[in-house]
Amino acid sequence: HAETGADAWLRYAALDAAAARRYVNTLPPVVVVLGNSPVEQTAQRELIRGIRGMLGVTLRVSSTVPAEGAIVLGLDPAVRKAVPGTPAGNPLAEDGYALSLRTAGTARHLSIAGGSERGVLYGTFALLRKIALGEAMEALNEHSAPYAPVRWVNHWDNLDGTIERGYGGRSIFWDKGVVREDLSRVSEYGRLLASLGINGCSINNVNTDPRILTAEYLPQIARIAEAFRPWGVRLVLSVDFGSPQRVGGLATFDPLDAGVAAWWKAKTDELYRAVPDLAGLLLKADSEGRIGPSAYGRTHADAANVIARALKPHGGLFFYRGFVYDHHMDWRNLKNDRARAAYDNFNRLDGQFDDNVVIQIKHGPIDFQVREPASPLFGALEHTNQAIELQVTQEYFGQARQLVFLVPMWKEALDFDMQARGAGTPVKALVAGKVFQRPTGGFVGVSNVGLDANWLGNHMSQANLYGYGRLAWNPDLTSQQIAAEWTRLTFGNDPQVVQTIESLQLKSWRVFEDYTGPLGLQTLTDIVGNHYGVSVEASERNGWGQWHRSDEKGAGMDRTVATGTGYAGQYRPAVAKRYESLATCPDELLLFFHHVPYTHMLHSGKTVIQTLYDLHYDGAVSVEGYVNSWKLLKGRVDERRYAEVLAQLEYHAGQAQVWRDAVNNWFHRASGIADAKGRVGHQ
Amino acid sequence: HAETGADAWLRYAALDAAAARRYVNTLPPVVVVLGNSPVEQTAQRELIRGIRGMLGVTLRVSSTVPAEGAIVLGLDPAVRKAVPGTPAGNPLAEDGYALSLRTAGTARHLSIAGGSERGVLYGTFALLRKIALGEAMEALNEHSAPYAPVRWVNHWDNLDGTIERGYGGRSIFWDKGVVREDLSRVSEYGRLLASLGINGCSINNVNTDPRILTAEYLPQIARIAEAFRPWGVRLVLSVDFGSPQRVGGLATFDPLDAGVAAWWKAKTDELYRAVPDLAGLLLKADSEGRIGPSAYGRTHADAANVIARALKPHGGLFFYRGFVYDHHMDWRNLKNDRARAAYDNFNRLDGQFDDNVVIQIKHGPIDFQVREPASPLFGALEHTNQAIELQVTQEYFGQARQLVFLVPMWKEALDFDMQARGAGTPVKALVAGKVFQRPTGGFVGVSNVGLDANWLGNHMSQANLYGYGRLAWNPDLTSQQIAAEWTRLTFGNDPQVVQTIESLQLKSWRVFEDYTGPLGLQTLTDIVGNHYGVSVEASERNGWGQWHRSDEKGAGMDRTVATGTGYAGQYRPAVAKRYESLATCPDELLLFFHHVPYTHMLHSGKTVIQTLYDLHYDGAVSVEGYVNSWKLLKGRVDERRYAEVLAQLEYHAGQAQVWRDAVNNWFHRASGIADAKGRVGHQ
């Protein structure tokens, strides 16, 4: 059958005969599910589907465990009871699972035990993944627990069916102002999410239409929740802070007004009647024109707590986005700095947020640029729950048209040591609440899939959704492990295919950086437009604050404490010291932290300007190479995907040249310094 | 060239052309080592050797980092200084390493940074392993730290060159009472150990010849230390507790005698003059005829501390084996129980050992049997350092003649939750000192390699040494991961070879259990002889205490608190409760904890006797299958190893039948119960 990409990494393609036979000989031919919950039933169905696809055999369903053995699915205590002689082990974490194959007498049991119903499903997907990857089962005995409780995705879908920063077609949830009649794609999406352990999903844009909270929408939203429920994915709604006034008809939305608090309480109770397992609510306030507590001189904590308290009795969480900044900043004032905003807004409120509030912080201080340091806010909050917001949809990364694998970039942020309590406090541990013993926290990915058959507009971008989910479950996985897994699951186990695709993916972020904004310049795109094409000056001389301050004399933004905006001082001293000094600031972030002349010598022994020129040529050459590598896979990848990816890469190679020339010409003109290799302006 | 097995998993076989080209394009062609220490120099040489072997190119050595980039080896701070723009990261743990590939300007640097000189070497081996496994390098950014500080091997070599329980030829260290002239094999062995992160090695039997501490031996021992030193492996000596008297000429070896203490101090100072980096000393006392503190009514703590205090100023550790028991126990007393010994001897001394003493505890309470519960002593000691002793040499596992991969068995012990402070305290965390914040602890493997080309007497047993080392570095690796790594490194990446060998290895321990001692009977071998052949009664009616108490009426040893020896009560209550009750004790340990009639019904719904019969047939059939699987690899594995392993497996299959019939006939005769399938006694 034609590979449309719809099944993504869950294709369950038939294994070769020898491998299939080996599994058929090892796995019990019977499946027993011990619980009646919809999620456990889903697990059983998925197991049968996967085994049938990969091994060509259909498991027999039994309601009791036969003496000769079975694959037994269920909650941990039920499995211990049902499978003879399962020894005492560690109790499983919530949503965790244990896989084990054991013989008892002459029987052979493969148990999939979950710490929750979701854990049973996650364990089932893990088992199927092992089979698809060709891993041996003979001594299977594995425990796995999620790194953090929050593993969510967000969607920026508008009620009319468009998606802000979505590049894979129209909304799977919404069309023409109502929830779609046919939600089969929502259910398929739930399956993809569950296979990664993702347990929450928001369905409407953070730039929210307030009508979402009207009575008219509740039964529609409940239908989406229903489609997700068998996959263990809980619904999340974005809300508008003005709702009490705009929807509720109150005269005010002041969070300290008793009537407003009562309105939120009543509205939340109503929501939970429609969706009893609603995971929580999400708010973007006082940012990019959204209204917020500043209208009444209230704090973000006041705003968050009034809604959080309404959610509390239902066990819901309230996510407050840390992406708050003034987009009318005076660009002439060299002390102004948008990068400071998240810390300046939230650090002083640390300790004032209720225990079911989570501050959702973008991984860098600006906005998903090609290179940013990790946000200092992660290292600052000690008494407040946090989540890291990672963007899966490639807003600033060539959208659906260029190949950029974001996992290596995310890993750098997640592994970065904020030195928040001495050394050894990487961002991942902070957001998971492990450093300051917070009750909750974790990971949020802005997914923005759409109705396109392949979800994200192209086949290769699926690796970002896969990688986000795998990191949310276990951020200690390496980029290489994730790329290898994804490639094998998505394109099969042919070694040349695996090596080629893995290698393309792994280098792609650094290559993209080379020709779109190296040395910490950030992505030199039209930041006031669609965030796609090259536009070196679009970020300058306006209030949006994505300035790189390049002119005839030099480039970069001085964010030091000594002479700049002071942003570097928002980090803990050991980190701040490193960024503050030209001697220790890494080259890749040089222009993010410092303004230097074009002739400034990098640690590499080359000037800034020549490095800019060279990297742009290097990047374009690398993308050219993508095309050649891909062509060697002809006949090894199914025709449809082969042709679609080839077309994408050929287009991508052209784009890299356009970027190269536009950026180099701009800096050539600005600096007046010739390219030592004589290329810029001449070819 | 013929594959002798001498290079084990460090063959550096040439990769196929496409894969090699990919690495050649990615890796910088120059290597720079920043330090002058022998270990760092070793790392550089090993890197050149590995790259040359696998990729066919020779790295250029440079003393400074060239602008276009290099592979840079060194201590973490030196690498940060030398490689432009290396960002601030987490400080590395001792012996840990970080690998990263980064571009700075147009240069490309691959850095191997170590938290110690050893860490640099370990990182180099890790990089070479990645290449051999075909892992992509493009976004390389990996940190790794050892799970525990102690990662040692022991050798039971006698000074005459024989090895107690060694099956791979004569000693690589000793011959005819002196250290060998040619120590090239010691150096090669150091390389194997270093590739796994093993940092200590004892060179003489725990059943020690006291002469080891005489002046005559010191310069010889120093030569072995010298051979190991470039590989970061530190020497350990086994000592005899009677040494002050036997070697020193004192009238006593009473540990509380001041003259004895002074003797140990002077002797230790002398040792450190000969071997300044000696890692420590090891003692077996009051066990199996070895003398010990009981001669003077002193405690094990008195004995340990007198030597530990002599080691203390030199930073040396003192290992005291927990393997202490009475081998003249009255077998007629049903309350006697050798399994109790380690706990009974050491638990009451908890808190009395100095901080540089480590109690070295065998993984189970008896002696490396095919199935034992984890020793309760791990869960008992709160104020004493521990190490787990795992046996790599296959004493009770078919020696060099049968294929048994021990990693799955070790994993069960390491992952077993002792519930020492509530749930979540697996044995691995306890021995690493993570639960009760101990200053040191870890892993000891009894390796017993010999002069045979393949080190262990056969090719497949190398997987146990590899697996031990990998677990000592990271016990969270799965058995499957370890088997897959080892197979690829040792036999190459042909998928059919990998799948077949991985699968053989992974199932082999359970299969061996099936025909040698299932249901917790322990290995039914000649325990008073060479521990190889089948001998069901050898353990009974003698003082050695490996009783299984099988007779006409039933089998198994009652170790319950209610009616037996009380051993089950040595575990913390949650664990003890599970083993105490027939209803919850796992079948696989049933006869270890309970005496039951042959007609007792297992959780599997089958009787004990029929299960014994069936498992023995199952096991023999499985081994028969090994031969068939292996034969499918003809032409895919080099001829020499193909033939050698085939011969081993054919012999193994015959042995399994001998075991099957001997054990089944014995139980048939004893029980008088016929095999329901009519096989026993008839074929």
Side-chain angles (χ1 to χ4, degrees), chain A residues 161-444:
Chain A
T162 59
I163 305 177
E164 185 169 337
R165 316 298 175 191
Y167 313 104
R170 289 173 57 82
S171 172
I172 63 171
F173 305 111
W174 304 96
D175 190 35
K176 305 192 184 76
V178 293
V179 168
R180 282 187 187 282
E181 196 58 43
D182 176 5
L183 292 180
S184 53
R185 286 282 280 189
V186 173
S187 167
E188 285 172 42
Y189 184 52
R191 175 170 169 258
L192 293 182
L193 296 179
S195 75
L196 303 170
I198 293 173
N199 60 1
C201 176
S202 79
I203 57 165
N204 60 319
N205 196 346
V206 287
N207 294 321
T208 310
D209 187 327
R211 288 179 300 154
I212 191 77
L213 290 185
T214 58
E216 173 195 353
Y217 277 94
L218 295 192
Q220 302 184 43
I221 291 166
R223 285 183 50 237
I224 298 178
E226 217 166 277
F228 273 146
R229 197 166 287 122
W231 300 102
V233 177
R234 293 167 68 190
L235 206 72
V236 180
L237 289 180
S238 296
V239 296
D240 178 81
F241 194 65
S243 298
Q245 190 181 63
R246 292 177 172 183
V247 174
L250 303 190
T252 174
F253 57 92
D254 180 351
L256 298 191
D257 181 274
V260 167
W263 186 87
W264 279 114
K265 168 130 190 42
K267 180 52 70 180
T268 304
D269 291 348
E270 190 187 348
L271 278 175
Y272 275 90
R273 279 193 297 276
V275 183
D277 58 352
L278 186 79
L281 300 173
L282 167 62
L283 176 66
K284 173 180 180 181
D286 277 331
S287 175
E288 296 179 337
R290 305 295 308 173
I291 54 176
S294 65
Y296 300 95
R298 309 307 186 192
T299 70
H300 300 301
D302 296 332
N305 293 341
V306 66
I307 309 181
R309 283 165 199 167
L311 285 161
K312 180 82 176 174
H314 304 286
L317 297 178
F318 187 66
F319 279 61
Y320 199 97
R321 283 180 100 224
F323 186 60
V324 175
Y325 70 100
D326 170 12
H327 65 291
H328 297 294
M329 244 183 305
D330 181 1
W331 61 273
R332 282 156 302 217
N333 182 343
L334 295 179
K335 298 292 180 187
N336 279 346
D337 187 358
R338 171 171 161 187
R340 294 186 54 105
Y343 179 99
D344 283 346
N345 275 298
F346 289 90
N347 182 47
R348 63 203 152 92
L349 299 175
D350 190 24
Q352 298 183 32
F353 293 95
D354 280 13
D355 256 10
N356 63 328
V357 174
V358 179
I359 308 301
Q360 179 170 323
I361 306 166
K362 292 194 186 202
H363 81 264
I366 301 288
D367 186 21
F368 304 133
Q369 299 300 292
V370 72
R371 173 76 68 173
E372 301 185 39
S375 172
L377 188 55
F378 294 122
L381 298 177
E382 299 189 3
H383 311 287
T384 306
N385 304 321
Q386 319 180 11
I388 187 168
E389 184 178 305
L390 300 171
Q391 196 186 39
V392 176
T393 187
Q394 294 171 216
E395 176 178 355
Y396 285 95
F397 291 89
Q399 300 177 4
R401 313 177 81 175
Q402 301 188 31
L403 183 163
V404 190
F405 181 55
L406 297 168
V407 166
M409 179 178 82
W410 295 334
K411 286 281 295 180
E412 292 208 1
L414 291 169
D415 288 344
F416 186 79
D417 192 349
M418 301 300 295
Q419 311 229 19
R421 217 180 47 189
T425 60
V427 169
K428 61 190 171 189
L430 288 159
V431 299
K434 293 180 194 288
V435 177
F436 296 110
Q437 275 72 50
R438 299 301 311 162
T440 192
F443 305 84
V444 177

Side-chain angles (χ1 to χ4, degrees), chain B residues 117-128:
Chain B
E117 293 163 2
R118 266 185 212 92
V120 178
L121 180 58
Y122 299 159
T124 302
F125 277 114
L127 181 75
L128 292 170

Side-chain angles (χ1 to χ4, degrees), chain B residues 31-204:
Chain B
V31 58
V32 179
V33 62
L34 301 173
N36 288 318
S37 71
V39 174
E40 287 165 281
Q41 295 295 325
T42 300
Q44 186 183 43
R45 275 195 303 277
E46 190 70 20
L47 184 70
I48 292 170
R49 172 176 175 176
I51 298 280
R52 189 190 291 135
M54 292 187 285
L55 310 183
V57 300
T58 302
L59 294 174
R60 187 154 47 80
V61 174
S62 169
S63 57
T64 56
V65 180
E68 72 270 22
I71 304 179
V72 180
L73 282 66
L75 295 177
D76 190 33
V79 170
R80 283 173 197 275
K81 204 172 280 180
V83 177
T86 305
N90 309 358
L92 292 178
E94 166 139 32
D95 289 3
Y97 61 82
L99 305 177
S100 79
L101 181 67
R102 45 197 317 114
T103 52
T106 54
R108 175 192 297 258
H109 291 93
L110 195 160
S111 60
I112 303 178
S116 64
E117 293 163 2
R118 266 185 212 92
V120 178
L121 180 58
Y122 299 159
T124 302
F125 277 114
L127 181 75
L128 292 170
R129 185 165 57 230
K130 283 175 174 295
I131 294 173
L133 295 173
E135 295 187 4
M137 292 283 140
E138 273 77 2
L140 186 64
N141 187 10
E142 228 174 283
H143 291 241
S144 187
Y147 192 83
V150 172
R151 305 175 305 279
W152 288 11
V153 284
N154 283 179
H155 290 265
W156 292 351
D157 292 20
N158 301 313
L159 306 192
D160 64 4
T162 59
I163 305 177
E164 184 169 338
R165 316 298 176 193
Y167 313 104
R170 289 173 58 84
S171 173
I172 62 171
F173 305 110
W174 304 96
D175 190 34
K176 305 192 184 76
V178 293
V179 168
R180 282 187 186 282
E181 197 57 41
D182 176 4
L183 292 180
S184 54
R185 286 283 280 189
V186 173
S187 167
E188 286 172 42
Y189 184 51
R191 174 170 170 257
L192 293 182
L193 296 179
S195 75
L196 303 170
I198 292 173
N199 59 0
C201 177
S202 79
I203 58 166
N204 61 319

Side-chain angles (χ1 to χ4, degrees), chain A residues 86 102 106 578 588 606, chain B residues 86 102 106 578 588 606:
Chain A
T86 305
R102 46 197 316 114
T106 54
R578 182 155 196 97
E588 61 208 13
K606 204 189 280 188
Chain B
T86 305
R102 45 197 317 114
T106 54
R578 182 154 195 98
E588 60 209 13
K606 203 190 282 189

